Amino acid sequence: MGDTGTTWSAFEAAEPELAAAVRERFGQYTHHALATVRKDGSPRLSGIEADFRFGELWLGMMPNSRKALDLRRDPRFALLANPGSGTDMGGGDVRVSGRAVEITDPETVDRYASEAGAPLPFHLFRVEPTEVVRTRVDGEELVVRTWAPGRPARTIRRGNDDSPPRGES
């Protein structure tokens, strides 16, 4: 399972408005939910802090945590921003899926630890997004904006009836 070749900074350059909305949504809370793949292929859901630094999205984890071992074995993940309390989901629901690339270069790890105030040792993963999704309510419609590498972001709107979804560019 190789790298996707797409970085957060590349996504941000391609879709700055969507990237800004996603960053803002993740910034509302410290703790989020990370889905990884267990050794037996079943999903594991864990709490995590996601961090935007140096133009990238990072995931830091305690040494030998289950989620870190999952990502070392299978780098696929989905990261869901904390929806917050109640049902308003201020800013919508955002999710980033992709591959987590472990960074072991001591200079990068030390730089990250120094700037983030993270205690050593820890596992550090750089996110390579394969899909970014923001879902929000606009009036009576559900609006889903989605992006994947190699294609422009697209928006789908659907009402609360049996009408088919409508796509936009």
Side-chain angles (χ1 to χ4, degrees), residues 57-71:
L57 174 54
W58 302 90
L59 305 173
M61 298 163 208
M62 293 173 57
N64 298 311
S65 64
R66 297 285 186 196
K67 59 191 162 193
L69 298 177
D70 286 348
L71 290 173

Side-chain angles (χ1 to χ4, degrees), residues 79-95:
L79 178 66
L80 177 70
N82 185 325
S85 61
T87 59
D88 68 334
M89 290 191 337
D93 176 76
V94 298
R95 177 178 46 84

Side-chain angles (χ1 to χ4, degrees), residues 124-163:
L124 181 62
F125 294 87
R126 182 177 43 79
V127 167
E128 292 191 346
T130 57
E131 183 181 49
V132 178
V133 179
R134 178 182 184 214
T135 304
R136 63 187 177 82
V137 175
D138 181 17
E140 297 294 316
E141 292 184 312
L142 186 68
V143 181
V144 180
R145 182 116 174 119
T146 182
W147 171 89
R151 68 170 177 79
R154 65 178 223 219
T155 301
I156 298 170
R157 293 178 167 270
R158 63 181 303 166
N160 197 20
D161 57 22
D162 60 356
S163 299

Side-chain angles (χ1 to χ4, degrees), residues 3-5 8 21 28 41 45-46 50-51 57-58 66 71 97-99 102 113 126 129 133 149 151-152 156:
D3 296 347
T4 67
W8 180 265
Q28 290 178 1
L45 194 59
S46 306
D51 192 28
L57 174 54
W58 302 90
R66 297 285 186 196
L71 290 173
S97 299
R99 295 187 186 277
E102 186 166 19
R126 182 177 43 79
V133 179
R151 68 170 177 79
I156 298 170

